[in-house]
PDB file of all heavy atoms in Angstrom:
ATOM      1  N   GLY G   1     -29.599 -62.141 -25.985  1.00  0.00           N
ATOM      2  CA  GLY G   1     -28.379 -61.817 -26.677  1.00  0.00           C
ATOM      3  C   GLY G   1     -27.943 -62.934 -27.653  1.00  0.00           C
ATOM      4  O   GLY G   1     -28.791 -63.840 -27.983  1.00  0.00           O
ATOM      5  N   TRP G   2     -26.762 -63.020 -28.031  1.00  0.00           N
ATOM      6  CA  TRP G   2     -26.184 -64.061 -28.815  1.00  0.00           C
ATOM      7  C   TRP G   2     -24.691 -64.333 -28.479  1.00  0.00           C
ATOM      8  O   TRP G   2     -24.075 -63.611 -27.784  1.00  0.00           O
ATOM      9  CB  TRP G   2     -26.280 -63.669 -30.342  1.00  0.00           C
ATOM     10  CG  TRP G   2     -25.417 -62.538 -30.745  1.00  0.00           C
ATOM     11  CD1 TRP G   2     -24.054 -62.542 -31.051  1.00  0.00           C
ATOM     12  CD2 TRP G   2     -25.870 -61.190 -30.804  1.00  0.00           C
ATOM     13  NE1 TRP G   2     -23.694 -61.273 -31.476  1.00  0.00           N
ATOM     14  CE2 TRP G   2     -24.701 -60.407 -31.332  1.00  0.00           C
ATOM     15  CE3 TRP G   2     -26.948 -60.547 -30.610  1.00  0.00           C
ATOM     16  CZ2 TRP G   2     -24.758 -59.075 -31.469  1.00  0.00           C
ATOM     17  CZ3 TRP G   2     -27.092 -59.115 -30.743  1.00  0.00           C
ATOM     18  CH2 TRP G   2     -26.012 -58.406 -31.224  1.00  0.00           C
ATOM     19  N   ARG G   3     -24.285 -65.472 -28.959  1.00  0.00           N
ATOM     20  CA  ARG G   3     -22.970 -65.913 -28.655  1.00  0.00           C
ATOM     21  C   ARG G   3     -22.343 -66.654 -29.913  1.00  0.00           C
ATOM     22  O   ARG G   3     -23.112 -67.317 -30.621  1.00  0.00           O
ATOM     23  CB  ARG G   3     -22.757 -66.614 -27.411  1.00  0.00           C
ATOM     24  CG  ARG G   3     -23.479 -67.967 -27.301  1.00  0.00           C
ATOM     25  CD  ARG G   3     -23.405 -68.548 -25.953  1.00  0.00           C
ATOM     26  NE  ARG G   3     -24.262 -67.851 -24.930  1.00  0.00           N
ATOM     27  CZ  ARG G   3     -23.826 -67.394 -23.795  1.00  0.00           C
ATOM     28  NH1 ARG G   3     -22.452 -67.423 -23.451  1.00  0.00           N
ATOM     29  NH2 ARG G   3     -24.634 -66.731 -22.987  1.00  0.00           N
ATOM     30  N   TRP G   4     -21.047 -66.516 -30.069  1.00  0.00           N
ATOM     31  CA  TRP G   4     -20.289 -67.338 -31.100  1.00  0.00           C
ATOM     32  C   TRP G   4     -18.892 -67.455 -30.544  1.00  0.00           C
ATOM     33  O   TRP G   4     -18.537 -66.950 -29.568  1.00  0.00           O
ATOM     34  CB  TRP G   4     -20.464 -66.729 -32.430  1.00  0.00           C
ATOM     35  CG  TRP G   4     -19.713 -65.329 -32.665  1.00  0.00           C
ATOM     36  CD1 TRP G   4     -20.075 -64.097 -32.114  1.00  0.00           C
ATOM     37  CD2 TRP G   4     -18.635 -65.054 -33.424  1.00  0.00           C
ATOM     38  NE1 TRP G   4     -19.245 -63.251 -32.488  1.00  0.00           N
ATOM     39  CE2 TRP G   4     -18.340 -63.705 -33.338  1.00  0.00           C
ATOM     40  CE3 TRP G   4     -17.756 -65.856 -34.142  1.00  0.00           C
ATOM     41  CZ2 TRP G   4     -17.306 -63.126 -33.942  1.00  0.00           C
ATOM     42  CZ3 TRP G   4     -16.720 -65.323 -34.760  1.00  0.00           C
ATOM     43  CH2 TRP G   4     -16.437 -63.999 -34.684  1.00  0.00           C
ATOM     44  N   ASP G   5     -18.075 -68.203 -31.414  1.00  0.00           N
ATOM     45  CA  ASP G   5     -16.617 -68.414 -31.035  1.00  0.00           C
ATOM     46  C   ASP G   5     -15.848 -67.062 -30.679  1.00  0.00           C
ATOM     47  O   ASP G   5     -14.963 -67.033 -29.921  1.00  0.00           O
ATOM     48  CB  ASP G   5     -15.930 -69.179 -32.091  1.00  0.00           C
ATOM     49  CG  ASP G   5     -16.497 -70.601 -32.319  1.00  0.00           C
ATOM     50  OD1 ASP G   5     -17.181 -71.061 -31.353  1.00  0.00           O
ATOM     51  OD2 ASP G   5     -16.158 -71.134 -33.219  1.00  0.00           O
ATOM     52  N   GLY G   6     -16.375 -66.025 -31.392  1.00  0.00           N
ATOM     53  CA  GLY G   6     -15.594 -64.699 -31.262  1.00  0.00           C
ATOM     54  C   GLY G   6     -16.148 -63.926 -30.001  1.00  0.00           C
ATOM     55  O   GLY G   6     -15.529 -62.781 -29.760  1.00  0.00           O
ATOM     56  N   GLY G   7     -17.110 -64.335 -29.343  1.00  0.00           N
ATOM     57  CA  GLY G   7     -17.608 -63.569 -28.146  1.00  0.00           C
ATOM     58  C   GLY G   7     -19.125 -63.644 -27.983  1.00  0.00           C
ATOM     59  O   GLY G   7     -19.783 -64.527 -28.616  1.00  0.00           O
ATOM     60  N   GLU G   8     -19.619 -62.723 -27.280  1.00  0.00           N
ATOM     61  CA  GLU G   8     -21.109 -62.745 -26.943  1.00  0.00           C
ATOM     62  C   GLU G   8     -21.450 -61.310 -26.748  1.00  0.00           C
ATOM     63  O   GLU G   8     -20.630 -60.419 -26.470  1.00  0.00           O
ATOM     64  CB  GLU G   8     -21.376 -63.640 -25.856  1.00  0.00           C
ATOM     65  CG  GLU G   8     -20.858 -63.120 -24.532  1.00  0.00           C
ATOM     66  CD  GLU G   8     -21.204 -64.122 -23.339  1.00  0.00           C
ATOM     67  OE1 GLU G   8     -20.677 -65.184 -23.255  1.00  0.00           O
ATOM     68  OE2 GLU G   8     -22.165 -63.688 -22.613  1.00  0.00           O
ATOM     69  N   LEU G   9     -22.794 -61.008 -26.961  1.00  0.00           N
ATOM     70  CA  LEU G   9     -23.340 -59.742 -26.731  1.00  0.00           C
ATOM     71  C   LEU G   9     -24.758 -59.866 -26.197  1.00  0.00           C
ATOM     72  O   LEU G   9     -25.511 -60.700 -26.640  1.00  0.00           O
ATOM     73  CB  LEU G   9     -23.323 -58.934 -27.979  1.00  0.00           C
ATOM     74  CG  LEU G   9     -23.719 -57.463 -27.899  1.00  0.00           C
ATOM     75  CD1 LEU G   9     -22.623 -56.727 -27.152  1.00  0.00           C
ATOM     76  CD2 LEU G   9     -24.030 -56.819 -29.227  1.00  0.00           C
ATOM     77  N   ARG G  10     -25.111 -59.076 -25.180  1.00  0.00           N
ATOM     78  CA  ARG G  10     -26.336 -59.057 -24.580  1.00  0.00           C
ATOM     79  C   ARG G  10     -27.129 -57.863 -25.241  1.00  0.00           C
ATOM     80  O   ARG G  10     -26.545 -56.839 -25.583  1.00  0.00           O
ATOM     81  CB  ARG G  10     -26.298 -58.816 -23.108  1.00  0.00           C
ATOM     82  CG  ARG G  10     -25.520 -59.877 -22.285  1.00  0.00           C
ATOM     83  CD  ARG G  10     -26.111 -61.257 -22.437  1.00  0.00           C
ATOM     84  NE  ARG G  10     -27.472 -61.315 -21.722  1.00  0.00           N
ATOM     85  CZ  ARG G  10     -28.257 -62.299 -21.787  1.00  0.00           C
ATOM     86  NH1 ARG G  10     -27.975 -63.415 -22.545  1.00  0.00           N
ATOM     87  NH2 ARG G  10     -29.371 -62.293 -21.121  1.00  0.00           N
ATOM     88  N   VAL G  11     -28.431 -58.068 -25.516  1.00  0.00           N
ATOM     89  CA  VAL G  11     -29.194 -56.920 -26.043  1.00  0.00           C
ATOM     90  C   VAL G  11     -29.929 -56.156 -24.848  1.00  0.00           C
ATOM     91  O   VAL G  11     -30.037 -56.771 -23.749  1.00  0.00           O
ATOM     92  CB  VAL G  11     -30.301 -57.417 -26.972  1.00  0.00           C
ATOM     93  CG1 VAL G  11     -29.703 -58.029 -28.277  1.00  0.00           C
ATOM     94  CG2 VAL G  11     -31.289 -58.417 -26.316  1.00  0.00           C
ATOM     95  N   ASP G  12     -30.096 -54.875 -25.015  1.00  0.00           N
ATOM     96  CA  ASP G  12     -30.650 -54.105 -23.938  1.00  0.00           C
ATOM     97  C   ASP G  12     -32.196 -54.333 -23.977  1.00  0.00           C
ATOM     98  O   ASP G  12     -32.871 -54.164 -24.984  1.00  0.00           O
ATOM     99  CB  ASP G  12     -30.415 -52.583 -24.271  1.00  0.00           C
ATOM    100  CG  ASP G  12     -28.955 -52.236 -24.214  1.00  0.00           C
ATOM    101  OD1 ASP G  12     -28.164 -52.876 -23.488  1.00  0.00           O
ATOM    102  OD2 ASP G  12     -28.493 -51.308 -24.981  1.00  0.00           O
ATOM    103  N   PRO G  13     -32.619 -54.651 -22.697  1.00  0.00           N
ATOM    104  CA  PRO G  13     -34.183 -54.744 -22.583  1.00  0.00           C
ATOM    105  C   PRO G  13     -34.919 -53.458 -22.925  1.00  0.00           C
ATOM    106  O   PRO G  13     -34.189 -52.415 -22.663  1.00  0.00           O
ATOM    107  CB  PRO G  13     -34.402 -55.209 -21.165  1.00  0.00           C
ATOM    108  CG  PRO G  13     -33.036 -55.712 -20.719  1.00  0.00           C
ATOM    109  CD  PRO G  13     -32.038 -54.963 -21.523  1.00  0.00           C
ATOM    110  N   PRO G  14     -36.056 -53.395 -23.510  1.00  0.00           N
ATOM    111  CA  PRO G  14     -36.877 -54.539 -23.642  1.00  0.00           C
ATOM    112  C   PRO G  14     -36.722 -55.277 -25.018  1.00  0.00           C
ATOM    113  O   PRO G  14     -37.476 -56.069 -25.362  1.00  0.00           O
ATOM    114  CB  PRO G  14     -38.264 -53.815 -23.690  1.00  0.00           C
ATOM    115  CG  PRO G  14     -38.011 -52.500 -24.395  1.00  0.00           C
ATOM    116  CD  PRO G  14     -36.561 -52.101 -23.943  1.00  0.00           C
ATOM    117  N   LEU G  15     -35.507 -55.052 -25.659  1.00  0.00           N
ATOM    118  CA  LEU G  15     -35.281 -55.745 -26.881  1.00  0.00           C
ATOM    119  C   LEU G  15     -34.981 -57.203 -26.671  1.00  0.00           C
ATOM    120  O   LEU G  15     -34.473 -57.556 -25.612  1.00  0.00           O
ATOM    121  CB  LEU G  15     -34.150 -55.065 -27.642  1.00  0.00           C
ATOM    122  CG  LEU G  15     -34.165 -53.685 -28.005  1.00  0.00           C
ATOM    123  CD1 LEU G  15     -32.923 -53.158 -28.708  1.00  0.00           C
ATOM    124  CD2 LEU G  15     -35.400 -53.426 -28.965  1.00  0.00           C
ATOM    125  N   ARG G  16     -35.375 -57.998 -27.616  1.00  0.00           N
ATOM    126  CA  ARG G  16     -35.205 -59.519 -27.543  1.00  0.00           C
ATOM    127  C   ARG G  16     -34.692 -59.991 -28.883  1.00  0.00           C
ATOM    128  O   ARG G  16     -35.081 -59.358 -29.883  1.00  0.00           O
ATOM    129  CB  ARG G  16     -36.499 -60.222 -27.167  1.00  0.00           C
ATOM    130  CG  ARG G  16     -36.927 -59.956 -25.790  1.00  0.00           C
ATOM    131  CD  ARG G  16     -38.188 -60.749 -25.294  1.00  0.00           C
ATOM    132  NE  ARG G  16     -38.298 -62.086 -25.857  1.00  0.00           N
ATOM    133  CZ  ARG G  16     -37.698 -63.170 -25.368  1.00  0.00           C
ATOM    134  NH1 ARG G  16     -36.903 -63.013 -24.309  1.00  0.00           N
ATOM    135  NH2 ARG G  16     -37.778 -64.343 -25.851  1.00  0.00           N
ATOM    136  N   LEU G  17     -33.949 -60.984 -28.798  1.00  0.00           N
ATOM    137  CA  LEU G  17     -33.456 -61.672 -30.084  1.00  0.00           C
ATOM    138  C   LEU G  17     -34.036 -63.066 -30.171  1.00  0.00           C
ATOM    139  O   LEU G  17     -33.896 -63.853 -29.223  1.00  0.00           O
ATOM    140  CB  LEU G  17     -31.962 -61.679 -30.132  1.00  0.00           C
ATOM    141  CG  LEU G  17     -31.335 -62.365 -31.332  1.00  0.00           C
ATOM    142  CD1 LEU G  17     -31.577 -61.607 -32.657  1.00  0.00           C
ATOM    143  CD2 LEU G  17     -29.818 -62.646 -31.161  1.00  0.00           C
ATOM    144  N   GLU G  18     -34.641 -63.348 -31.302  1.00  0.00           N
ATOM    145  CA  GLU G  18     -35.224 -64.660 -31.447  1.00  0.00           C
ATOM    146  C   GLU G  18     -34.651 -65.359 -32.719  1.00  0.00           C
ATOM    147  O   GLU G  18     -34.382 -64.671 -33.749  1.00  0.00           O
ATOM    148  CB  GLU G  18     -36.770 -64.523 -31.584  1.00  0.00           C
ATOM    149  CG  GLU G  18     -37.293 -64.070 -30.359  1.00  0.00           C
ATOM    150  CD  GLU G  18     -38.870 -63.741 -30.554  1.00  0.00           C
ATOM    151  OE1 GLU G  18     -39.292 -63.916 -31.653  1.00  0.00           O
ATOM    152  OE2 GLU G  18     -39.397 -63.169 -29.556  1.00  0.00           O
ATOM    153  N   ALA G  19     -34.420 -66.596 -32.670  1.00  0.00           N
ATOM    154  CA  ALA G  19     -33.996 -67.407 -33.869  1.00  0.00           C
ATOM    155  C   ALA G  19     -34.348 -68.906 -33.586  1.00  0.00           C
ATOM    156  O   ALA G  19     -34.242 -69.362 -32.502  1.00  0.00           O
ATOM    157  CB  ALA G  19     -32.504 -67.235 -34.057  1.00  0.00           C
ATOM    158  N   ASP G  20     -34.838 -69.526 -34.682  1.00  0.00           N
ATOM    159  CA  ASP G  20     -35.187 -70.971 -34.592  1.00  0.00           C
ATOM    160  C   ASP G  20     -33.937 -71.857 -34.605  1.00  0.00           C
ATOM    161  O   ASP G  20     -33.907 -72.828 -33.983  1.00  0.00           O
ATOM    162  CB  ASP G  20     -36.119 -71.340 -35.698  1.00  0.00           C
ATOM    163  CG  ASP G  20     -37.411 -70.691 -35.655  1.00  0.00           C
ATOM    164  OD1 ASP G  20     -37.888 -70.406 -34.459  1.00  0.00           O
ATOM    165  OD2 ASP G  20     -38.132 -70.550 -36.643  1.00  0.00           O
ATOM    166  N   VAL G  21     -32.979 -71.525 -35.416  1.00  0.00           N
ATOM    167  CA  VAL G  21     -31.673 -72.181 -35.436  1.00  0.00           C
ATOM    168  C   VAL G  21     -30.501 -71.201 -35.485  1.00  0.00           C
ATOM    169  O   VAL G  21     -30.721 -70.142 -35.854  1.00  0.00           O
ATOM    170  CB  VAL G  21     -31.659 -73.006 -36.755  1.00  0.00           C
ATOM    171  CG1 VAL G  21     -32.738 -74.102 -36.767  1.00  0.00           C
ATOM    172  CG2 VAL G  21     -31.857 -72.163 -38.055  1.00  0.00           C
ATOM    173  N   PRO G  22     -29.365 -71.632 -35.069  1.00  0.00           N
ATOM    174  CA  PRO G  22     -28.205 -70.822 -35.151  1.00  0.00           C
ATOM    175  C   PRO G  22     -27.801 -70.527 -36.626  1.00  0.00           C
ATOM    176  O   PRO G  22     -28.059 -71.403 -37.501  1.00  0.00           O
ATOM    177  CB  PRO G  22     -27.185 -71.545 -34.356  1.00  0.00           C
ATOM    178  CG  PRO G  22     -27.639 -72.874 -34.188  1.00  0.00           C
ATOM    179  CD  PRO G  22     -29.078 -73.000 -34.513  1.00  0.00           C
ATOM    180  N   ALA G  23     -26.997 -69.568 -36.808  1.00  0.00           N
ATOM    181  CA  ALA G  23     -26.417 -69.355 -38.136  1.00  0.00           C
ATOM    182  C   ALA G  23     -25.089 -70.066 -38.176  1.00  0.00           C
ATOM    183  O   ALA G  23     -24.281 -69.990 -37.294  1.00  0.00           O
ATOM    184  CB  ALA G  23     -26.121 -67.827 -38.398  1.00  0.00           C
ATOM    185  N   THR G  24     -24.997 -71.046 -39.114  1.00  0.00           N
ATOM    186  CA  THR G  24     -23.762 -71.770 -39.247  1.00  0.00           C
ATOM    187  C   THR G  24     -23.165 -71.383 -40.659  1.00  0.00           C
ATOM    188  O   THR G  24     -23.820 -71.535 -41.673  1.00  0.00           O
ATOM    189  CB  THR G  24     -24.112 -73.303 -39.244  1.00  0.00           C
ATOM    190  OG1 THR G  24     -24.711 -73.596 -38.105  1.00  0.00           O
ATOM    191  CG2 THR G  24     -22.820 -74.094 -39.246  1.00  0.00           C
TER     192      THR G  24
END
């Protein structure tokens, strides 16, 4: 999933979220 100041969300398996760096 992902998180930020406004909240967080989990992705439903088997989905995955990948990122090398956060979005700023």
Side-chain angles (χ1 to χ4, degrees):
W2 65 87
R3 59 185 77 238
W4 68 288
D5 294 343
E8 63 182 77
L9 188 70
R10 302 295 294 170
V11 295
D12 297 328
L15 299 178
R16 292 184 38 80
L17 179 67
E18 299 171 357
D20 292 334
V21 297
T24 303

